[in-house]
Amino acid sequence: MKKTALLAIAFLILAGAVGGFAYFEYVMKPAAIKKSLAGRTQPAASVIAEAATSQSWRAAVPAIGTIQAIQGIDVAPEVAGVIQTLGFKSGQEIEAGTMLIELDDGTEQASLKSAQAQLQNSRTSLKRQRELLDRGNTSRSSYDSAIATRDSDAAEVERIEALIAEKKVLAPFSGQLGIRQVDVGQYVSAGTVLVSLQQLDPIYVDFPVPEQQLEMVAVGDDVEVTVDAFPKGKFTGKVTTVDARVDQATRNILIRAQLANPAKQLLPGMFANVKVLAPQAQQVVTIPRTAITYSLFGNTAFVAKPAADPKAAAADKPPATDKKAPPEFTLEQRRVTLGEQRGDLVAVLDGIKAGEQVVSAGQNKLFNGQKVHLSKVPPLKAPADRPRP
């Protein structure tokens, strides 16, 4: 009995000690720390900010297009034969009418001589029949038969001459040739591709535009084009044609623009990044793209506003030292309406005015109403030439 009472007393003492320690650790200590921190002023964070700028931008409709030649064909013969002569070199610039290839026409030339001889005989016979008819020594039907024979022989000569002409393939227009696909002595059938012929200056770019943006595109609008092959180059032209129908599958309408291409840099088949520019430029407020916090609930940005009462703000600070303290700003988180993006800048249609300081880095650690200093460290800039994979 006595032993049980001692154990109970020991348990009560131990429970009291544990309870007192817990009360001190989880109630008294946090309250003391909170009371101590309440009297202190949290130091202002340092942020990188850039001023929103007003720039003159021309609204643009972006699209992905394909470069097309003004005229472009695969040169092929109309008839079969053995190549006797090649009149061009790969990559050559040629004029319209240039002889590209000549097929062996020995058989046709022999047939032509025979037909010409037959025609000459028919003409002689016709002349004799005319003289006889004038003297009344032959019938009219014999004279008419001689005329028909002469005409038939003349048609045969023309037919053979046409066959011989088909043995020569001429350039239908001026342009640049591609790589030769055949050699001298090679037998080619009708329709065999000999070489590609493309007219490269000027040149077209065809691109689709959604029907919702059709009102923003018109014939005569300026166009800017870039291609991956020449990332530093920019090609300009004008819209020449708007297709007469909308594609029912994609709801897009095809647009064609014409570009100057004197250096022959643009080639048919290239993918092109196209921008159709609005006729008039507009003033827009631009901020760095990194200043935007994107969210499903809306896009926001932090604006650093100067302290409303500098004297009051200074009274809350510790006594001044020899080093002058930087000015203090208050962060204001705003919803923004975004427009077009160009490079590292984005247009803000609503929410920010030109000249306001916008935080461009580290927004995840910031909150509305926070006191900050503006860092003098310049913001990071993207390299002029971005590395390629």
Side-chain angles (χ1 to χ4, degrees):
M1 188 72 179
K2 186 175 182 181
K3 185 177 182 180
T4 302
L6 291 175
L7 288 175
I9 294 172
F11 176 76
L12 291 174
I13 294 173
L14 180 61
V18 172
F21 177 78
Y23 179 78
F24 174 78
E25 187 69 22
Y26 296 105
V27 178
M28 296 182 62
K29 186 177 180 180
I33 294 175
K34 184 177 181 180
K35 183 178 179 181
S36 176
L37 293 177
R40 299 183 182 180
T41 302
Q42 185 177 4
S46 180
V47 298
I48 297 176
E50 298 183 48
T53 59
S54 177
Q55 297 188 15
S56 179
W57 281 12
R58 295 174 67 180
V61 177
I64 300 296
T66 304
I67 303 297
Q68 304 282 357
I70 295 287
Q71 297 184 88
I73 61 170
D74 288 331
V75 180
E78 298 181 53
V79 295
V82 177
I83 297 177
Q84 185 177 25
T85 306
L86 283 173
F88 69 94
K89 295 181 180 180
S90 297
Q92 180 181 348
E93 290 277 350
I94 62 169
E95 298 295 330
T98 301
M99 194 277 289
L100 300 178
I101 69 163
E102 184 176 4
L103 301 178
D104 182 17
D105 60 357
T107 302
E108 288 77 9
Q109 290 291 351
S111 298
L112 178 61
K113 290 180 180 179
S114 175
Q116 288 174 338
Q118 186 65 33
L119 176 61
Q120 183 61 35
N121 182 57
S122 300
R123 288 172 176 171
T124 302
S125 297
L126 176 61
K127 182 179 180 182
R128 185 179 302 113
Q129 288 293 326
R130 184 183 294 112
E131 293 174 351
L132 292 174
L133 181 63
D134 291 342
R135 291 197 298 266
N137 295 330
T138 187
S139 64
R140 183 72 185 184
S141 61
S142 297
Y143 176 73
D144 292 341
S145 178
I147 293 177
T149 301
R150 189 276 314 268
D151 292 344
S152 176
D153 292 341
E156 179 65 13
V157 170
E158 291 180 1
R159 185 187 71 83
I160 297 174
E161 288 177 342
L163 289 176
I164 293 175
E166 290 178 347
K167 296 286 185 173
K168 294 181 180 180
V169 179
L170 307 180
F173 54 86
S174 300
Q176 183 172 336
L177 295 171
I179 297 176
R180 175 167 52 88
Q181 304 294 322
V182 293
D183 296 303
V184 174
Q186 179 178 342
Y187 175 83
V188 293
S189 58
T192 300
V193 175
L194 307 174
V195 69
S196 173
L197 175 61
Q198 308 290 330
Q199 182 179 339
L200 302 179
D201 185 28
I203 202 165
Y204 289 142
V205 57
D206 293 346
F207 54 95
V209 169
E211 61 178 331
Q212 298 91 336
Q213 296 180 324
L214 182 57
E215 64 177 358
M216 302 175 63
V217 179
V219 173
D221 285 351
D222 292 332
V223 171
E224 289 184 354
V225 173
T226 58
V227 294
D228 290 341
F230 305 99
K232 294 184 179 180
K234 184 180 292 185
F235 304 87
T236 59
K238 291 185 178 294
V239 173
T240 58
T241 310
V242 177
D243 202 357
R245 65 184 180 89
V246 175
D247 190 314
Q248 294 185 0
T250 63
R251 313 312 303 176
N252 292 335
I253 188 166
L254 189 65
I255 310 295
R256 169 167 286 180
Q258 182 172 304
L259 313 171
N261 189 31
K264 309 295 193 302
Q265 292 177 301
L266 297 177
L267 300 177
M270 282 184 171
F271 283 104
N273 297 305
V274 184
K275 286 185 179 180
V276 182
L277 303 179
Q280 301 295 332
Q282 297 180 344
Q283 291 296 123
V284 296
V285 177
T286 63
I287 63 174
R289 181 167 51 88
T290 55
I292 304 298
T293 300
Y294 298 93
S295 169
L296 295 175
F297 304 101
N299 304 319
T300 60
F302 283 100
V303 177
K305 301 184 66 175
D309 188 356
K311 294 182 179 179
D316 294 337
K317 294 181 181 179
T321 60
D322 295 338
K323 187 176 180 180
K324 185 178 180 180
E328 192 174 84
F329 292 79
T330 303
L331 293 183
E332 181 179 323
Q333 190 173 21
R334 299 183 187 174
R335 291 186 178 272
V336 292
T337 304
L338 303 181
E340 182 185 357
Q341 179 179 320
R342 296 187 182 180
D344 294 328
L345 296 179
V346 61
V348 178
L349 305 181
D350 184 48
I352 295 176
K353 298 180 180 179
E356 291 186 312
Q357 295 289 334
V358 181
V359 178
S360 59
Q363 295 92 323
N364 294 336
K365 301 179 180 179
L366 305 179
F367 55 87
N368 191 35
Q370 184 177 0
K371 304 297 183 180
V372 296
H373 296 302
L374 300 187
S375 173
K376 296 182 179 180
V377 178
L380 295 176
K381 298 294 183 182
D385 296 328
R386 297 186 178 181
R388 291 178 172 268

